[in-house]
Amino acid sequence: MAASPNPSGPASSNTAAPPARGRQQACERCWKRKQKCDRLLPTCTGCSESGANCVSRQVDLTTLPEEAVLSHAAVSRYVESLKRKIGDLEQQSQQKRLRRKSNINASPASRDHVSPNTTHASRYSYAGDLVHGSVDATMGEISFLSRSAMAEPRDELGEFPRHLALEEVIMAAIAADGPDPSMSSMRSVSSLLGFMSSDNSDILLRREPTINSMTRFLEQVCILYPHLNPVELKQDYEDTLSDHNSRATNHVMISAPFRDFKVFLAIAIGTLLSPESSRAESFIISLHKNAMKLFPAIVKACNQLQTLYCMILLILYSTYSSSSGSTWHLVGLAMKKCLALRLNKELENQNGLLESEIDERRRIFWSLYLIDRSLGIVMDRPFSIQDDDISLLTLGNEDYPCEHLIMHARLISNIRTEGREEPLFDYGNLRHWRDSSLPTESRQLSAQFQPIYDHFDLLYCRTLIQMIGPLSQRLPQHDKRKQLIGSQSSIQTETISSCEHLIDHIYEKSEHGTFVGSFLDAYDIFSAGVALLCIALGQDQSMKQALVQVTKVVNKCSALLTMIGERFSAVKTFRKVLWALSNKAPGSGLLSSLPITENSPGSYLATKMAPSSTVDQGSTWTTTPTLKGAKPTVYIIDKFAPKAIAHAEELFNVILPEDEEFKNWQENATAILMRGSYMHAEDIARCPKLIAIGKHGVGIDKIDQKACAARGIKILNTPGANSRAVAELVLALTLAVARQVRSITERQHHTPVPKETCSGLTIYEKKIGIIGMGHIGKTVAEIFRGAFNAEIIAYDPFLPADAWATIPHIRAQTVTEVITEADVLTLHIPLMDATRDLISYKELQTMKRTAILINAARGGIVNEQDLDRALSEGLIWGAGLDCHEQEPPTKEKYGKLWENPNVISTPHIGAATTDTQLACAMMAADNLHRHLLTLQE
């Protein structure tokens, strides 16, 4: 029966209705139930919908002045409740500090034990005790205070309760540190407030730098989640570009918060999926911040499904970014909102909803369900909702592939929660799902379905691991089902095949630059590696030779975890666990039982890194008899950071200069790590066994490359590791020269300097000339383009025409073109015969009189005598030099050049930051290790 219209409700006609009268406080029923009351007379909406009697509260209230925020009757009780809560929180905080201190003093074995097969009741249970102010506790307190604050009408609340609104709670979850997905902790309050009150200017999107990211999102992400409509998103993207173009040209701003939020985060996620996402970090963060500035408006619009849509996008974003909060808590918040809206239930009375609205409700819920099941399975955590509480219809078999994804999620949920007597029953269901999910005709379609095929393979492998892992721990010691784990059953064989296929495929994608893993991928890779090792360790002696292939796959797991660990630092712990499993004590581990030969892939499992995609064919690998599983010996001939040495010791048998064995290193070394030493032809001749040199840094001009090539010795430098640090120094030198910082500072040391006597240059929208378009050159272009809206003109004869597709620039055809047009000329090329004296007096004469020359590449590229002459004649404004022909530079040699006040000279400190030095050193060790492993295999 249709309900009669409420006379106090909004009118259905277009005629403006008179404002409804309302009471000053919540009604008695809403107040007792601690729910929001709209205070309409004679009956509030809540009481009207439930058919209850709506009566006013029997509290005598007086009118307060406008500046008051709480009624007299509520003030005292509210203040007392807050004081009690503060006391409880302080007590809990003190207890956590004590637990943390006791846990830190506990044995390392008890703290660091990690097992992929532990149940969700025990796995990572130490996390909450180790971290003070954990996100779990924080979100719990926010939830408690939110419920406690619901008794009062919204407009009678003060500033503090308003910060418990949905958008503020989500902002708190986003402010959680995410490098360790299993153990998130809150940032400082100032950091959170700084993020929330960021006053960054609005971003204006352009097609050229964003189209690839948007396409990547549409092709790789939309197909996996039912609520994402590629056609709709593509149209939103076009509309947003059109509006932003109008805003840039006509300064007309069109407000569409929900649409812009979707587009901003879709582009951000698509950019994160790019192998070069680290170079666009500032752009990604800007997109995320601009999206979050729109979120409060979306919440206030009261469209609950749009709010949930945005929350799911935030969840997807957080799986790829360690600076975007706790995925776990964002999922919890979204699922609680779903339950509050009863999206998990099929509507008995559709209340006039359109079919499209009902379909949208289903798609929103099932998308969140898929995320919740993936997160719960890979991290071994409880689900946010049990299947028994879901009565919502699925999407139907015609909705491929979403229906098959939901089918799998329900299957794996059932496997984990039911604990069936016969595992083969679940295995049969899994095989049926796989067969039905990938029909022959679908596989013959275009490549647009390849991401879903890859995802199906991952889900299949994940489920097999779920079946063989926890099962053996849950069963009694002599249970007949436990025999399945250690036998050559079909499940075990299929698990080995599936894990190997998954890791090989992901590793192949990483070599082609098409894989950028989320932290969920890291958990899956880790689980696959552990499963393979555990199965191998459980085999009898006769089977181990057949499992030599496992060692290669586990090495690839380590390499992939290292790559993802650059974004989520805690993932590197997984790699250590794999190493520990692969280096078990002699007689009990896989390595110690495998036959070790010169060509055995198993001989280098202990070295924990996957092979490189490039091998120097001229190199040869010879070994002397060693213990089974022994690490290769590497001599470190220069000073390295202690952390880098510790990292090298995990990979090699390291010999340092202070060791007794080091005195005969030239006769014995097959591989060395070096930093600043020279390796002349005669030095290389004294090393008859040398096959590889790991070089800290990019430059290899201190090594005789011809002598190495003649011997087939591989030189492994570290390109890209110092790009950011060098590029930042280029920026510092440019600004210092442009604003005459050195000369003004020196004058100020002797006498006050009137500002009227100071003059300088601005860099905004100037033309930056870059010779050398490698890692450093590209980073320099990104910095100047982003900070100063500079025009970039670049030259590199070796890179393809589309090398900087994401950076607007002019590609010069000659060096002269760059030199004559640049306001700032910066060099990023190696020193070779062809580049020596590249910038001499002839070139300096053609430069602008206000031009600045920066050399952070190598001494010798700029003719220093000609530069001194040009500066003396005023041919250019100034120069910033981090590289000199004589290093370190001395006053005796460069005193005359330094007399020019517009010259700033530094002793080759481009990469001299703590972070960069450590990164270079560790990369040098990793590169050397990969090469040795490749030769061994």
Side-chain angles (χ1 to χ4, degrees):
M1 179 181 296
S4 60
N6 187 346
S8 64
S12 60
S13 66
N14 296 331
T15 308
R21 295 188 303 115
R23 52 172 63 94
Q24 295 182 353
Q25 57 182 333
C27 70
E28 185 74 9
R29 178 177 177 274
C30 292
W31 177 75
K32 287 182 177 180
R33 294 171 66 88
K34 295 188 180 296
Q35 69 183 27
K36 181 181 177 182
C37 178
D38 55 13
R39 299 173 291 156
L40 293 177
L41 288 175
T43 304
C44 71
T45 303
C47 293
S48 175
E49 291 178 350
S50 61
N53 187 25
C54 184
V55 297
S56 300
R57 285 174 57 192
Q58 301 302 313
V59 178
D60 192 14
L61 297 177
T62 59
T63 304
L64 293 176
E66 291 183 359
E67 61 271 13
V69 293
L70 287 176
S71 63
H72 289 310
V75 168
S76 59
R77 293 194 304 275
Y78 193 70
V79 171
E80 289 301 319
S81 68
L82 289 179
K83 288 181 179 179
R84 288 195 303 271
K85 193 57 191 173
I86 290 172
D88 292 342
L89 290 174
E90 289 177 346
Q91 183 179 2
Q92 293 175 19
S93 177
Q94 183 65 25
Q95 292 173 352
K96 286 181 180 180
R97 289 194 187 98
L98 294 175
R99 286 200 301 270
R100 183 188 180 196
K101 185 180 296 184
S102 62
N103 280 334
I104 289 176
N105 294 331
S107 64
S110 64
R111 287 200 314 268
D112 299 335
H113 176 68
V114 179
S115 172
N117 297 328
T118 53
T119 63
H120 62 267
S122 61
R123 189 180 183 189
Y124 302 115
S125 60
Y126 63 88
D129 294 335
L130 289 179
V131 180
H132 168 55
S134 68
V135 171
D136 188 44
T138 304
M139 302 308 296
E141 301 306 336
I142 289 175
S143 178
F144 175 85
L145 291 175
S146 299
R147 293 193 301 271
S148 301
M150 284 182 181
E152 292 300 324
R154 182 178 296 258
D155 57 358
E156 292 187 12
L157 298 181
E159 282 297 320
F160 177 71
R162 272 200 291 271
H163 284 317
L164 299 178
L166 177 63
E167 62 268 26
E168 306 293 352
V169 176
I170 291 178
M171 197 69 77
I174 289 174
D177 290 326
D180 186 350
S182 68
M183 191 170 62
S184 301
S185 60
M186 292 301 291
R187 300 176 196 160
S188 64
V189 174
S190 61
S191 173
L192 172 59
L193 294 177
F195 182 89
M196 292 168 60
S197 62
S198 173
D199 57 352
N200 286 1
S201 58
D202 292 337
I203 190 170
L204 291 177
L205 299 180
R206 295 191 300 273
R207 182 180 302 276
E208 182 180 355
T210 60
I211 183 63
N212 289 337
S213 296
M214 191 68 191
T215 303
R216 199 176 295 114
F217 178 84
L218 296 175
E219 293 178 350
Q220 299 183 26
V221 180
C222 284
I223 197 170
L224 303 180
Y225 300 99
H227 77 294
L228 296 175
N229 187 326
V231 177
E232 177 185 302
L233 278 171
K234 190 172 183 179
Q235 185 60 49
D236 288 340
Y237 173 71
E238 296 295 337
D239 293 344
T240 302
L241 288 180
S242 177
D243 290 350
H244 284 209
N245 183 57
S246 298
R247 190 186 309 178
T249 57
N250 305 325
H251 304 288
V252 176
M253 181 174 178
I254 300 175
S255 178
F258 178 55
R259 182 202 66 192
D260 288 353
F261 185 99
K262 291 191 294 182
V263 173
F264 285 156
L265 274 191
I267 294 173
I269 296 170
T271 307
L272 283 169
L273 290 170
S274 168
E276 296 186 351
S277 59
S278 60
R279 300 183 179 276
E281 184 176 357
S282 60
F283 176 62
I284 295 170
I285 293 174
S286 178
L287 286 168
H288 181 235
K289 286 189 175 183
N290 276 270
M292 291 312 302
K293 287 162 64 175
L294 300 171
F295 190 68
I298 299 171
V299 175
K300 290 176 182 177
C302 295
N303 188 321
Q304 307 291 356
L305 295 183
Q306 288 185 0
T307 301
L308 278 169
Y309 190 112
C310 296
M311 292 176 70
I312 295 175
L313 283 179
L314 288 172
I315 292 167
L316 296 178
Y317 177 83
S318 68
T319 62
Y320 288 95
S321 172
S322 62
S323 61
S324 58
S326 167
T327 305
W328 178 252
H329 290 90
L330 287 171
V331 170
L333 286 170
M335 187 59 77
K336 286 179 181 178
K337 189 165 184 65
C338 273
L339 298 179
L341 297 173
R342 296 180 62 82
L343 298 189
N344 58 313
K345 303 292 185 181
E346 190 68 23
L347 294 175
E348 297 179 2
N349 182 2
Q350 298 182 0
N351 296 325
L353 290 177
L354 298 175
E355 186 64 32
S356 60
E357 295 174 326
I358 297 173
D359 184 65
E360 184 181 5
R361 288 170 58 92
R362 291 173 182 162
R363 290 180 180 277
I364 289 287
F365 176 80
W366 287 120
S367 290
L368 189 59
Y369 179 85
L370 292 175
I371 296 172
D372 178 72
R373 285 325 189 240
S374 292
L375 199 66
I377 290 296
V378 301
M379 298 184 71
D380 207 6
R381 291 192 172 185
F383 298 142
S384 299
I385 184 174
Q386 299 302 318
D387 287 351
D388 293 341
D389 297 324
I390 302 173
S391 63
L392 187 68
L393 296 178
T394 56
L395 304 176
N397 291 330
E398 67 279 359
D399 198 329
Y400 181 86
C402 294
E403 180 66 20
H404 292 82
L405 292 171
I406 296 170
M407 186 189 305
H408 173 270
R410 304 199 77 161
L411 172 62
I412 198 170
S413 177
N414 195 47
I415 290 174
R416 193 171 92 167
T417 56
E418 292 295 326
R420 296 187 182 278
E421 291 294 323
E422 181 50 68
L424 288 177
F425 178 81
D426 292 326
Y427 179 58
N429 286 337
L430 178 63
R431 290 301 301 267
H432 172 74
W433 168 81
R434 181 178 175 83
D435 294 341
S436 63
S437 299
L438 300 173
T440 304
E441 57 270 20
S442 292
R443 281 199 180 274
Q444 295 174 352
L445 296 176
S446 64
Q448 71 179 96
F449 284 97
Q450 191 58 47
I452 195 62
Y453 299 154
D454 294 343
H455 192 66
F456 282 157
D457 289 339
L458 183 147
L459 295 178
Y460 184 67
C461 180
R462 182 187 294 171
T463 310
L464 288 171
I465 295 172
Q466 179 72 17
M467 292 174 62
I468 70 164
L471 179 63
S472 61
Q473 292 188 340
R474 291 199 301 263
L475 299 179
Q477 183 66 28
H478 301 292
D479 194 294
K480 62 180 181 180
R481 289 171 288 165
K482 195 161 185 176
Q483 298 175 0
L484 181 69
I485 306 302
S487 67
Q488 291 297 319
S489 68
S490 57
I491 298 180
Q492 191 179 83
T493 303
E494 186 71 9
T495 301
I496 295 174
S497 174
S498 180
C499 290
E500 290 180 350
H501 172 75
L502 176 69
I503 300 304
D504 286 341
H505 182 66
I506 294 177
Y507 186 77
E508 182 181 356
K509 289 172 63 178
S510 71
E511 287 192 320
H512 289 87
T514 58
F515 172 76
V516 178
S518 67
F519 77 80
L520 294 179
D521 293 316
Y523 274 87
D524 284 318
I525 292 167
F526 171 68
S527 298
V530 170
L532 287 171
L533 282 172
C534 290
I535 292 174
L537 291 170
Q539 297 298 320
D540 56 40
Q541 186 68 31
S542 62
M543 291 297 299
K544 288 188 175 178
Q545 183 59 44
L547 290 169
V548 167
Q549 177 65 21
V550 170
T551 64
K552 292 184 179 180
V553 179
V554 173
N555 288 334
K556 293 178 181 179
C557 288
S558 297
L560 292 169
L561 291 174
T562 300
M563 183 181 74
I564 302 176
E566 296 303 319
R567 186 177 294 173
F568 297 93
S569 57
V571 168
K572 295 179 181 178
T573 303
F574 294 168
R575 185 182 63 182
K576 295 180 181 179
V577 174
L578 288 179
W579 296 349
L581 280 174
S582 61
N583 282 318
K584 290 178 70 68
S588 61
L590 174 63
L591 273 186
S592 58
S593 305
L594 290 173
I596 307 298
T597 65
E598 288 187 14
N599 299 318
S600 169
S603 63
Y604 268 82
L605 178 58
T607 56
K608 320 156 190 99
M609 192 59 65
S612 170
S613 59
T614 58
V615 181
D616 184 359
Q617 299 299 329
S619 300
T620 56
W621 173 248
T622 57
T623 60
T624 55
T626 60
L627 293 175
K628 294 178 180 179
K631 301 175 182 178
T633 297
V634 169
Y635 292 80
I636 300 181
I637 66 174
D638 288 316
K639 184 177 180 180
F640 275 58
K643 287 185 178 180
I645 293 176
H647 177 66
E649 287 174 340
E650 293 177 346
L651 307 175
F652 313 110
N653 174 31
V654 172
I655 298 179
L656 301 172
E658 56 267 26
D659 295 335
E660 178 65 24
E661 302 95 320
F662 187 81
K663 61 183 179 181
N664 296 322
W665 75 267
Q666 291 180 322
E667 292 81 3
N668 299 326
T670 57
I672 64 172
L673 281 170
M674 59 177 291
R675 180 175 179 178
S677 296
Y678 283 87
M679 285 291 288
H680 299 296
E682 53 270 24
D683 298 313
I684 295 171
R686 297 191 191 102
C687 302
K689 299 180 180 179
L690 188 63
I691 61 170
I693 300 173
K695 173 63 171 65
H696 178 296
V698 179
I700 56 175
D701 50 293
K702 294 184 179 181
I703 303 173
D704 193 312
Q705 300 169 49
K706 292 182 179 179
C708 289
R711 286 264 308 276
I713 299 172
K714 183 72 172 180
I715 303 173
L716 302 131
N717 60 345
T718 58
N722 62 354
S723 301
R724 174 62 56 176
V726 175
E728 289 177 359
L729 181 64
V730 170
L731 174 64
L733 291 173
T734 301
L735 294 177
V737 173
R739 300 306 298 270
Q740 298 180 320
V741 172
R742 177 196 161 196
S743 63
I744 294 173
T745 303
E746 290 179 348
R747 288 165 55 197
Q748 196 168 247
H749 288 165
H750 301 92
T751 183
V753 179
K755 63 181 180 181
E756 294 79 9
T757 64
C758 302
S759 63
L761 302 175
T762 58
I763 306 300
Y764 183 70
E765 293 188 342
K766 294 295 176 64
K767 185 171 290 188
I768 310 299
I770 302 174
I771 299 179
M773 298 171 61
H775 294 286
I776 298 175
K778 184 174 184 180
T779 307
V780 169
E782 290 172 341
I783 290 176
F784 278 91
R785 178 71 183 175
F788 301 103
N789 195 28
E791 182 179 350
I792 307 297
I793 178 170
Y795 174 77
D796 194 312
F798 302 106
L799 294 186
D802 59 347
W804 288 3
T806 60
I807 304 175
H809 70 285
I810 299 172
R811 185 67 177 268
Q813 300 303 311
T814 63
V815 173
T816 303
E817 186 180 347
V818 181
I819 293 173
T820 56
E821 294 189 20
D823 294 297
V824 177
L825 177 63
T826 176
L827 309 174
H828 303 288
I829 52 179
L831 177 63
M832 304 180 295
D833 292 340
T835 60
R836 182 172 293 278
D837 293 335
L838 179 69
I839 307 298
S840 59
Y841 186 76
K842 176 184 176 182
E843 287 72 30
L844 291 166
Q845 282 181 305
T846 65
M847 294 178 68
K848 296 180 180 179
R849 294 297 175 261
T850 56
I852 297 172
L853 174 64
I854 304 294
N855 183 15
R858 282 291 181 269
I861 298 175
V862 177
N863 187 299
E864 293 166 348
Q865 290 74 26
D866 288 353
L867 175 62
D868 184 18
R869 177 184 173 186
L871 288 167
S872 301
E873 296 175 2
L875 297 183
I876 62 174
W877 176 269
L881 305 175
D882 187 47
C883 303
H884 305 76
E885 288 189 76
Q886 174 188 297
E887 292 188 351
T890 61
K891 187 176 181 179
E892 290 73 20
K893 181 173 179 59
Y894 294 98
K896 186 174 182 298
L897 178 63
W898 292 347
E899 288 176 359
N900 190 297
N902 276 7
V903 172
I904 294 182
S905 175
T906 53
H908 209 152
I909 61 170
T913 68
T914 302
D915 294 340
T916 303
Q917 292 298 301
L918 181 59
C920 282
M922 297 183 77
M923 182 183 286
D926 289 341
N927 290 345
L928 181 60
H929 177 263
R930 272 196 298 270
H931 180 67
L932 295 179
L933 181 60
T934 301
L935 296 180
Q936 177 65 14
E937 291 187 344

